[in-house]
Amino acid sequence: MTRHRLPPYRASLAGALLGAREAFMGPIRPILRDAGVTEQQWRVLRVLAFERQTEPSALAEAALLHAPSLTRILKDLVDRKLITREADTQDRRRANLTLSDQGYALVDRIAQKTTAVLACYTEIFGADRLNWLLTELAAFTCAIDQWEPEE
């Protein structure tokens, strides 16, 4: 039997990326919990705050969510009146999603707190290093997206 020589999980790329995500989200999770939103809901709200208006498939892609998950999240956020869903005037089968005034207010409240956390991250890691990391992660994502693995 052949054994694969894998590094310890935390030393692997997957482990390092997940470890970084967990370290990053650790101080932010209590802020989201206090605001009554999940991490996935926050991603949806953040995207809509930036995009202003979008349709569900573009929102799912931008928020890095699978369509079935987004469907459940949208139902909850619409029910809570944080976002609005309206039929597209050009194509009634499509929906346009926007943040409500309540949604913008919630994003503003959360952003005040998360911005302070992000400022601490920048201070302890360094602005240049953080910018470099963001650039490299974007380049890595782009390279992987363009790769077509053989079956």
Side-chain angles (χ1 to χ4, degrees), residues 55 65 68 72 78 115 119 131 149:
E55 52 89 24
L65 292 165
R72 288 189 303 275
V78 168
T115 300
N131 287 331

Side-chain angles (χ1 to χ4, degrees), residues 8 35-36 72 75 79 85 90 104 141 147:
R72 288 189 303 275
K75 181 183 180 330
D79 289 349
R85 177 192 294 240
Q90 304 298 320
Y104 277 110
T141 301
W147 176 55

Side-chain angles (χ1 to χ4, degrees), residues 13-14 19 26 32 34 61 66 70 85 90 93 100 110 119 122 129 144 148:
L13 181 58
L32 299 178
D34 289 347
E61 184 177 334
H66 296 291
L70 180 64
R85 177 192 294 240
Q90 304 298 320
R93 296 170 296 177
S100 67
I110 295 171
T122 302
R129 289 175 72 196
I144 295 298
E148 295 182 23

Side-chain angles (χ1 to χ4, degrees), residues 8-142:
Y9 184 71
R10 290 297 299 242
S12 72
L13 181 58
L17 289 170
L18 187 57
R21 181 184 190 283
E22 290 303 308
F24 176 88
M25 288 303 298
I28 294 174
R29 283 189 182 108
I31 296 168
L32 299 178
R33 193 171 31 255
D34 289 347
V37 296
T38 66
E39 291 177 46
Q40 295 80 10
Q41 289 170 337
W42 175 237
R43 293 195 326 243
V44 167
L45 295 170
R46 282 270 285 113
V47 168
L48 285 173
F50 184 79
E51 297 292 332
R52 300 287 181 189
Q53 179 178 327
T54 191
E55 52 89 24
S57 62
L59 178 58
E61 184 177 334
L64 304 170
L65 292 165
H66 296 291
S69 296
L70 180 64
T71 299
R72 288 189 303 275
I73 291 166
L74 290 177
K75 181 183 180 330
D76 183 60
L77 294 177
V78 168
D79 289 349
R80 293 171 59 190
K81 299 185 180 358
L82 296 173
I83 64 171
T84 61
R85 177 192 294 240
E86 295 178 2
D88 187 289
T89 57
Q90 304 298 320
D91 182 350
R92 304 291 293 170
R93 296 170 296 177
R94 296 179 61 156
N96 289 319
L97 304 165
T98 56
L99 274 183
S100 67
D101 289 342
Q102 286 176 268
Y104 277 110
L106 179 61
V107 168
D108 287 344
R109 282 195 309 273
I110 295 171
Q112 288 176 352
K113 295 175 182 176
T114 59
T115 300
V117 172
L118 296 175
C120 290
Y121 292 168
T122 302
E123 184 178 323
I124 62 176
F125 193 66
D128 290 341
R129 289 175 72 196
L130 188 57
N131 287 331
W132 175 86
L133 178 62
L134 288 168
T135 300
E136 289 301 306
L137 288 171
F140 179 75
T141 301
C142 185

